Amino acid sequence: FIFASSIISILIAIMKKKIYDINILFALGAKNKLIYCVFLWYSLIYIIFGIIFGTSIGLLISSYFDKIIQNIEKFLNTKFLSSNIYFIDFIPIKVIYSDIFYIILLVFSLVIVCSSYSILKIIHKNSIKSILS
């Protein structure tokens, strides 16, 4: 959800910066469907790269998590999970690929729905402006 909300905020910021370009496309005779498709493809590019990089970084960190924690403990000269205090002195990590697939599917659908809504909102606002001007 954090990933989806960050992608949505990035897309809204990009679309607000592209209002001038949208108005030019309207002036050249572009239909709402064309503008919708252009920005939907733009958001798909962000989603795909975000999912690829986010999933690969997450899997990489989860596979080397014990070594990362050990290096941080050596650097800070402290023990996070001391065996004197806790029952276990490590963080158990199990990667379930079906859960990763469902999370990717959920994030993908959430971002598509939210970006479609924001695209339609901006197109509607700009089409009203272009009709009134």
Side-chain angles (χ1 to χ4, degrees):
F1 290 116
I2 293 170
F3 165 74
S5 64
S6 66
I7 292 292
I8 291 166
S9 64
I10 288 170
L11 288 173
I12 290 173
I14 287 170
M15 282 186 261
K16 284 184 180 180
K17 288 181 181 179
K18 299 280 184 180
I19 286 177
Y20 181 74
D21 297 337
I22 293 171
N23 287 333
I24 289 175
L25 288 172
F26 273 129
L28 291 174
K31 303 291 181 193
N32 288 345
K33 187 176 180 180
L34 174 70
I35 295 170
Y36 175 78
C37 289
V38 166
F39 281 103
L40 190 63
W41 277 108
Y42 200 66
S43 63
L44 282 174
I45 291 170
Y46 273 107
I47 294 167
I48 290 170
F49 281 121
I51 286 174
I52 289 170
F53 288 129
T55 305
S56 60
I57 289 172
L59 288 174
L60 188 69
I61 288 174
S62 66
S63 64
Y64 293 109
F65 192 74
D66 289 334
K67 292 179 183 178
I68 293 170
I69 294 297
Q70 288 173 0
N71 288 334
I72 292 173
E73 287 175 346
K74 285 180 187 175
F75 180 73
L76 296 176
N77 199 16
T78 186
K79 187 101 169 124
F80 292 132
L81 297 174
S82 176
S83 61
N84 297 338
I85 300 171
Y86 301 105
F87 293 114
I88 56 173
D89 59 349
F90 64 95
I91 298 175
I93 294 176
K94 180 179 180 184
V95 177
I96 301 171
Y97 292 102
S98 63
D99 289 346
I100 293 172
F101 174 74
Y102 292 136
I103 290 170
I104 288 172
L105 189 65
L106 177 72
V107 167
F108 188 80
S109 61
L110 183 66
V111 170
I112 289 295
V113 168
C114 293
S115 64
S116 297
Y117 173 73
S118 61
I119 291 167
L120 289 175
K121 187 176 175 183
I122 288 178
I123 286 174
H124 180 68
K125 186 188 301 184
N126 283 334
S127 64
I128 290 174
K129 281 183 183 179
S130 64
I131 290 171
L132 294 176
S133 333

